[in-house]
Amino acid sequence: MRTIEKCIIFAPIICCSMEIQFEKDYLRELYYDGKTNDKQHRYQPQIVKKYIRVVDILDSVDKVTDLYRFNALHYEKLTGDKAGLESVRVNDQYRIEFVSSEEPGKSITICNIIELSNH
């Protein structure tokens, strides 16, 4: 009887996801710790869970235009006094405001999270 050996070759996958930066300390604490020491920025646990989920989605996409695939996020570029900012929804009440920029010569998009706002 003849045996057949399977050979699996693992090729490195080059993935260019967004680099996430947090402008304010409470945003970083919410993401990594699930809570913040800042008494001014306390949120309900379900809001924090959804915030973490949305930041994970931001981190997983290659570029900002990929956010259009996620209809629930309602990705949009803001206008008026917040012109230059972009936003995605956490839920019906809260949104994450951010600025994205691409580094020239590299395929990395930097997403700088500005605010978790109650719009």
Side-chain angles (χ1 to χ4, degrees):
M1 188 169 226
R2 197 169 135 191
T3 61
I4 300 173
E5 292 182 26
K6 292 184 179 180
C7 181
I8 300 173
I9 300 173
F10 292 100
I13 298 173
I14 300 173
C15 180
C16 305
S17 63
M18 284 204 278
E19 179 182 323
I20 305 295
Q21 298 176 349
F22 300 93
E23 185 160 299
K24 299 177 181 164
D25 290 335
Y26 84 90
L27 295 167
R28 183 179 297 103
E29 290 172 0
L30 279 176
Y31 182 69
Y32 289 112
D33 302 333
K35 61 181 179 177
T36 180
N37 295 326
D38 186 358
K39 292 183 180 187
Q40 188 178 20
H41 297 100
R42 296 216 175 153
Y43 299 97
Q44 297 293 321
Q46 67 268 20
I47 301 299
V48 175
K49 283 182 186 178
K50 288 183 180 183
Y51 168 74
I52 291 169
R53 181 183 58 83
V54 172
V55 174
D56 285 341
I57 291 172
L58 286 172
D59 189 35
S60 70
V61 297
D62 293 338
K63 50 189 176 250
V64 178
T65 55
D66 292 342
L67 293 172
Y68 285 116
R69 293 183 302 165
F70 300 94
N71 292 333
L73 294 180
H74 297 284
Y75 168 72
E76 63 181 340
K77 292 186 178 188
L78 301 177
T79 58
D81 61 339
K82 294 194 175 201
L85 294 178
E86 301 161 81
S87 76
V88 289
R89 295 271 178 93
V90 173
N91 66 5
D92 291 339
Q93 187 177 3
Y94 290 94
R95 68 181 174 194
I96 296 174
E97 297 173 356
F98 62 95
V99 175
S100 66
S101 61
E102 292 190 18
E103 289 190 15
K106 296 181 182 178
S107 57
I108 296 175
T109 302
I110 297 174
C111 176
N112 187 18
I113 298 177
I114 306 292
E115 187 74 43
L116 175 60
S117 70
N118 182 352
H119 64 121

